[in-house]
Amino acid sequence: MSDHLPKAIDEGLAGCHSCGKVSPAALGRCPRCGSSLHTRKPASVQRTVAYLLGATALYIPANLLPVMTMTEWGDVMEPTILEGMVEFWRREAYPIALVIFVASIMIPLIKIVALGWLCAAATGRVKPSPRVLGRIYWLTELLGRWSMVDIFVVSILVALVQFGTVMTVSPRSGALAFAGVVVLTMFAATSFDPRLLWDQLDLGENSDTIPPQTESE
Amino acid sequence: MRRTRIARATWPQPSNGPHRVACHFCDTLHEAPAVPEGTAARCRRCGVVLYQNRPASLVRTTAFSLASLVLIGITHSFPFLVMKSNGLQTELSLYRAAHELIREGSVVIGCGVGVFTTVAPLVMAVGLLYVNAPLLWGRAAPGARVVARWTAHTEPWNMTEVFLLGVLVSLMKLGSMAELVFGVGFWAFAGLMVCMAAAVAGIDRNELWDRLEVADE
Ligand SMILES: [Zn+2]
Ligand SMILES: [Zn+2]
């Protein structure tokens, strides 16, 4: 390409992920802040996929198991996340139902699919445009935390609704599975190295002119 | 990226150049000249912000982290919500939101909620204050580099805004069956969310670490 911009890795340099200082990767540790220094995050794709598989496995019990037990005058209700949402919808609280649907059902799914797709792109299995990739990565980093809202709702209800025989709320195992999904997708997002996407892009661009480099971490 | 204009106000640069920055998103290597106050340097390849020069960065971050610390104190001293039902009354506090889960046997989620709503904001506020306040006088506090690193690692786990959304959802859930009153703790927590965001956004990572390096020279 006409303007080939230099990359840190080509000069054996690495930008510290913690303080930003550019140092020779051979140092192993950042001379400024002491973080370990890598040109690319080690085993990034493998670790991301492992976290994603864990999150996917937990996503099923997270949605099938009840997140809490509500006892009101002896009546016992054990809603799952989806049933909690449907209850809001039935009571015509549409905005809240929508918030729960997006935060608890959609975001974890979108995150798992998007990160899986980014892993496929980082290993050259799909070849999308870099702009799209940037948006998707930014989105997965931004949205993930909001899924935690249902866990906080459980914690708030458990703390507030303690009226002895009249009405009580206690947590159930679905909440644990759900919190696991959120935390695992957050780990998956931080293990992923977006620079791999650009490496793939350069590999594709250079392949017609010069033989592909045998670059390995 | 390449600017000929000399910055009006910039932060002191460490003497042991060369000052370069690698894009954390695509690994493109750039020279890193000072940019005028209130502007940002963007990656020439992918457009991501490389670093920015925040106006009055140290003063802002110090002030907002101090305010956050005060608000954390208030939030923990007053109830969040008071719920009245059938002549009985319960209170929600951050401590109870975590502790009641642990008491009900959900130790993992209870600890998680405690970390996301209490420990992480506290570490952030104390860490930012400890690192930034002495820098106002050009000094680095003992162990400032370690504290700065841990503060940065804590950032994704600070979920004040998500917890606040959880409070609103709970309010909708309980609104029909009980009388709910907002306490001082709730408003302090809302203020904490704003101050914490302002403190984190107050200083650029590269500026902070350059200043720490200069302070030790
Ligand atoms: Zn570093
Ligand atoms: Zn870039």
Side-chain angles (χ1 to χ4, degrees), chain B residues 23 25-28 30 43 45-48:
Chain B
C23 175
F25 193 58
C26 72
D27 205 31
T28 302
H30 299 78
C43 175
R45 187 168 192 201
C46 73
V48 151

Side-chain angles (χ1 to χ4, degrees), chain A residues 16-21 23 30-35 37, chain B residues 149 209:
Chain A
C16 175
H17 67 90
S18 186
C19 75
K21 191 183 178 78
S23 316
C30 173
R32 179 150 82 170
C33 74
S35 300
L37 214 54
Chain B
R149 247 177 78 192
W209 281 96

Side-chain angles (χ1 to χ4, degrees), chain A residues 146 149 152 156, chain B residues 80 117 159-170 182 185-194:
Chain A
W146 290 98
V149 67
F152 289 143
I156 291 163
Chain B
F80 242 75
T117 62
M159 299 197 188
T160 43
E161 74 279 28
V162 185
F163 188 78
L164 221 51
L165 180 64
V167 173
L168 296 179
V169 172
S170 309
F182 283 110
F186 175 82
W187 301 110
F189 198 73
L192 169 65
M193 178 189 80
V194 175

Side-chain angles (χ1 to χ4, degrees), chain B residues 85-168:
Chain B
S85 178
N86 299 58
L88 293 163
Q89 180 173 326
T90 53
E91 285 179 3
L92 172 69
S93 63
L94 284 176
Y95 172 74
R96 272 177 57 84
H99 183 252
E100 288 297 309
L101 279 174
I102 295 170
R103 212 178 48 81
E104 296 266 356
S106 296
V107 180
V108 179
I109 319 181
C111 291
V113 169
V115 168
F116 301 148
T117 62
T118 303
V119 179
L122 190 64
V123 170
M124 295 284 297
V126 172
L128 285 171
L129 190 62
Y130 185 79
V131 173
N132 283 280
L135 282 176
L136 280 170
W137 291 276
R139 301 244 170 84
R145 294 184 185 207
V146 180
V147 175
R149 247 177 78 192
W150 279 99
T151 309
H153 284 315
T154 312
E155 201 192 321
W157 304 104
N158 164 31
M159 299 197 188
T160 43
E161 74 279 28
V162 185
F163 188 78
L164 221 51
L165 180 64
V167 173
L168 296 179

Side-chain angles (χ1 to χ4, degrees), chain A residues 120-153:
Chain A
T123 48
R125 287 179 175 84
V126 288
K127 299 203 185 323
S129 104
R131 293 270 161 264
V132 176
L133 290 173
R135 292 270 161 73
I136 290 178
Y137 184 69
W138 174 77
L139 213 66
T140 58
E141 276 198 317
L142 189 82
L143 290 180
R145 50 206 285 105
W146 290 98
S147 307
M148 207 53 109
V149 67
D150 257 311
I151 301 302
F152 289 143
V153 170

